[in-house]
Amino acid sequence: MGPKPTVLLAVTILCLALPRAALSQRPRAPPVDTPAPAPAPRDVNLTDLLSLAGPYRTFLSYLVKTDVIKTFQTQANDTDHPTPGITIFAPEDSAFAALNKSALSNLTADRLRELMLCHALPKYHPLSTFSSLAASGPVPTFAGGACAVNVTYDAGRIRVVSSWGKAARLVSSVYSTPPAAVYALDRVLLPDQVFPTEPEVAPAPVPAPAPAPGKRRGGTATDDGVTDAAADGEKSSASRVFGARFVAGYLLLGLVGFALLLM
């Protein structure tokens, strides 16, 4: 007997379906690694930063008085700006103390605000970009191109030059994380746009000489770093020890002699 028609029909259908099933189970393409999104810029409170970071209270007080702190904070928070971020040059308290008091007290409110605006650039500049910043020529500040500053870069030493006085030295990086950078200056920037004549600035104090090696309080230093007072104390102590030993030896000798007399 031959196979039944129904069995032949089932086998035929199965043979036709197998190639389609095999074609539908093609290996899937491996997933494509997509780069992680860039981290969002950190929010920074400039008022808290300048009040807690160090000796910048005088600078901060002028920023608050002129409302320039609001301008700087708005720039720091505006991530959609064509050139986002801000770079602030913060003179230390000693830099303001070196200025003649009348230099700032005689300024009008508009001029004082303009002076504060001259201490920041409307873009974030890390220290790694200062060499190219120096080669680019005058850099506009928040006060505009008329109050531009020049940056010099020499073997890692950075200075900021305004119209009057010596160049301000960049002392340290107070904060540098996008979108804000704050750098300490040892001098206040003095643009001629604000000061028609050069303001009087006290010379920088000369640092005190370091004490000589071995110098101690209460005496003069000797070659080995020990003071005369300490040396005298050691001599006195040695004399007392020697005297005590001499008395003890004399008493022992007397006792021995007395024992010999009794024998």
Side-chain angles (χ1 to χ4, degrees):
M1 294 178 61
K4 296 181 178 181
T6 55
V7 174
L8 291 176
L9 179 61
V11 172
T12 303
I13 294 174
L14 181 62
C15 291
L16 292 174
L18 280 175
R20 293 183 180 181
L23 289 174
S24 63
Q25 295 182 358
R26 293 177 181 176
R28 296 181 179 179
V32 179
D33 292 334
T34 56
R42 296 182 182 179
D43 291 334
V44 56
N45 188 307
L46 297 176
T47 302
D48 291 345
L49 177 62
L50 290 171
S51 60
L52 300 175
Y56 313 104
R57 295 187 180 275
T58 307
F59 179 57
L60 177 59
S61 67
Y62 284 120
L63 293 181
V64 173
K65 180 180 180 180
T66 58
D67 277 344
V68 170
I69 189 66
K70 296 179 180 179
T71 303
F72 289 174
Q73 189 66 63
T74 300
Q75 176 72 13
N77 295 341
D78 188 4
T79 56
D80 295 330
H81 195 275
T83 56
I86 185 172
T87 300
I88 300 174
F89 298 118
E92 297 179 335
D93 291 338
S94 57
F96 282 97
L99 269 179
N100 189 305
K101 293 183 179 180
S102 62
L104 297 181
S105 61
N106 290 340
L107 293 177
T108 64
D110 290 340
R111 287 298 187 188
L112 184 60
R113 175 181 171 81
E114 195 171 15
L115 176 62
M116 294 301 106
L117 291 172
C118 289
H119 283 78
L121 311 178
K123 185 179 180 181
Y124 170 70
H125 292 282
L127 285 176
S128 58
T129 64
F130 271 70
S131 57
S132 58
L133 199 64
S136 66
V139 185
T141 65
F142 270 88
C147 194
V149 296
N150 287 285
V151 175
T152 65
Y153 185 92
D154 182 17
R157 291 186 293 271
I158 301 172
R159 296 183 183 274
V160 183
V161 185
S162 57
S163 305
W164 299 114
K166 295 183 179 179
R169 182 168 59 92
L170 196 152
V171 179
S172 63
S173 174
V174 180
Y175 181 89
S176 183
T177 301
V182 180
Y183 302 113
L185 297 184
D186 66 346
R187 288 178 176 271
V188 178
L189 300 179
L190 305 173
D192 55 7
Q193 181 179 351
V194 176
F195 300 99
T197 59
E198 183 174 1
E200 183 180 348
V201 181
V206 179
K215 185 68 176 179
R216 300 290 187 274
R217 294 181 179 179
T220 57
T222 57
D223 292 339
D224 58 355
V226 181
T227 63
D228 293 339
D232 293 341
E234 292 179 359
K235 292 178 182 178
S236 177
S237 177
S239 299
R240 288 195 296 270
V241 172
F242 177 76
R245 290 180 178 177
F246 177 78
V247 172
Y250 182 79
L251 290 176
L252 180 61
L253 183 62
L255 289 174
V256 171
F258 181 74
L260 290 175
L261 290 175
L262 293 177
M263 292 178 64

